[in-house]
Amino acid sequence: MDGLAIAWNYVTSPFRRKSKVMLNRNIGGRRSSIAGASFGLEGNVNGIVKRVSEMTEEIFEKYVTDSNLVDYAALMDSAELQQWRTFSPILNTIDLGALTQEQTLSLFVNAYNLATIDAICTKGGDGVSSVLTLSNFWGKYGYCVGQHDFTLDGMEHGVLRGNKPHPSSSRQQHFYAETDPRSRTSVSEFDNRIHFALVCGAKSCPPLRCVRHTHVDEDLESLAKEFIQTRIKITNADGGNAVKVEMSMILKWYMVDFGSSPYETLDAVKQFMNQEQLSILDGIDRGSVAISYTKYKWTLNNAEREMR
């Protein structure tokens, strides 16, 4: 069973389903209206999206290393995390219907990544060996946004993937039913580059970066290029008459968002490759390309554990 199937079992197993934990529902006894008033941004969509972007950038710049690992030991007791937790209830005051496509992408990508870090810190930070040890992680933790509960799964599949079902599920047409008001929060146009921006807390995840509210396209493009150029290994074989391609499991798990086959997926991500990668593939037909996938490292993306 591959990593995504294992993870999805945590979500779908009735024995693992527990009450959802919205990390910003009630922080220190303060409701969202009080938190919003203290920042002067309650209900201000532009202001909230901007401040979430700024706080995400501040946290990542200080606590994410150059090797894309998180210093959870330092982050857990940091002023930055406490400030975010104090601010986060204001998300519940947003009018979801007022969000633009760019605001939706920036807000929910950043909220997803912050919720992941927030939940990991809540469950022990650097004491967590892997998010797979946290039961129903993606189906349990999340944030209240616009008076609705959005788990990590809800943010990813219900909003950022255009309300598509989880790729491991064959029982749904949509993640959120059409009668569910959260279905109307979904992006108006799906952008598969979000797969290179969402980080679930594992070492094989994409680079952890802020998607700035004023540079959404630029940041998603940069993340896509960084991921594809560093996580796809392309080598010559058979004296240059064939090519071996080793891709991230993300491109296997979410193949449906890139094409109907590994070869269509490879074609779809060529636009993000560097010249060296493209030159090896140049002139090689599909029959001479052997595609495989790198084993996913689910170990926590913890800087302290890496140093030990």
Side-chain angles (χ1 to χ4, degrees):
M1 184 180 292
D2 63 34
L4 189 66
I6 293 172
W8 186 236
N9 279 342
Y10 279 95
V11 178
T12 56
S13 172
F15 299 104
R16 295 186 182 273
R17 284 194 180 276
K18 297 180 180 180
S19 59
K20 293 179 175 57
V21 176
M22 296 297 104
L23 297 158
N24 66 335
R25 190 183 300 280
N26 191 343
I27 309 298
R30 287 180 288 186
R31 296 293 179 178
S32 60
S33 60
I34 299 175
S38 67
F39 286 90
L41 291 174
E42 184 174 6
N44 183 336
V45 171
N46 292 330
I48 293 172
V49 173
K50 176 177 181 288
R51 188 63 186 130
V52 170
S53 176
E54 292 170 345
M55 296 180 82
T56 302
E57 197 163 18
E58 291 166 4
I59 290 173
F60 290 177
E61 284 184 353
K62 188 168 183 178
Y63 298 100
V64 178
T65 70
D66 292 340
S67 54
N68 194 39
L69 299 172
V70 180
D71 188 350
Y72 288 104
L75 177 62
M76 284 180 67
D77 298 319
S78 69
E80 290 83 2
L81 180 59
Q82 184 55 47
Q83 184 181 29
W84 165 249
R85 286 174 168 172
T86 302
F87 177 84
S88 61
I90 201 175
L91 297 177
N92 211 22
T93 72
I94 285 180
D95 178 2
L96 294 171
L99 290 170
T100 66
Q101 167 87 356
E102 289 72 23
Q103 288 174 332
T104 300
L105 286 168
S106 176
L107 176 66
F108 278 93
V109 168
N110 291 332
Y112 179 100
N113 290 334
L114 287 172
T116 296
I117 289 175
D118 194 351
I120 290 170
C121 287
T122 298
K123 299 301 292 183
D126 60 342
V128 176
S129 60
S130 168
V131 291
L132 292 184
T133 67
L134 304 177
S135 180
N136 196 23
F137 183 72
W138 295 279
K140 181 176 182 178
Y141 296 98
Y143 289 132
C144 293
V145 185
Q147 301 295 317
H148 295 289
D149 291 356
F150 289 90
T151 62
L152 292 168
D153 267 339
M155 293 184 206
E156 179 178 5
H157 309 295
V159 179
L160 295 169
R161 290 186 63 236
N163 202 28
K164 296 180 182 181
H166 191 287
S168 289
S169 173
S170 59
R171 295 174 297 176
Q172 298 171 283
Q173 289 185 326
H174 305 287
F175 186 85
Y176 291 129
E178 293 181 357
T179 54
D180 190 322
R182 290 173 295 184
S183 66
R184 296 190 287 275
T185 308
S186 173
V187 291
S188 56
E189 183 178 347
F190 171 58
D191 189 329
N192 59 21
R193 294 177 299 177
I194 59 106
H195 290 301
F196 312 125
L198 298 177
V199 178
C200 69
K203 283 188 175 178
S204 288
C205 286
L208 188 54
R209 306 279 189 274
C210 172
V211 174
R212 296 167 295 174
H213 68 293
T214 53
H215 297 81
V216 174
D217 184 68
E218 176 185 337
D219 288 346
L220 289 177
E221 187 73 8
S222 176
L223 283 163
K225 288 181 176 179
E226 182 174 354
F227 185 85
I228 295 302
Q229 292 175 19
T230 59
R231 306 297 179 87
I232 293 186
K233 184 179 179 181
I234 305 174
T235 56
N236 283 306
D238 191 25
N241 296 316
V243 170
K244 291 183 179 180
V245 178
E246 191 173 356
M247 300 198 296
S248 166
M249 286 294 293
I250 290 174
L251 295 174
K252 180 179 181 180
W253 293 331
Y254 293 99
M255 186 186 303
V256 65
D257 291 343
F258 295 91
S260 59
S261 72
Y263 300 101
E264 287 189 6
T265 299
L266 181 63
D267 287 340
V269 299
K270 281 182 179 178
Q271 60 183 308
F272 308 123
M273 291 182 182
N274 58 37
Q275 194 55 47
E276 182 181 356
Q277 290 172 311
L278 291 171
S279 64
I280 298 174
L281 291 170
D282 186 43
I284 303 294
D285 60 51
R286 283 186 177 183
S288 300
V289 177
I291 296 177
S292 61
Y293 297 92
T294 308
K295 183 178 180 181
Y296 210 75
K297 295 179 182 178
W298 283 102
T299 307
L300 188 71
N301 59 342
N302 180 25
E304 288 296 314
R305 184 170 284 112
E306 181 77 3
M307 290 186 277
R308 283 201 291 267

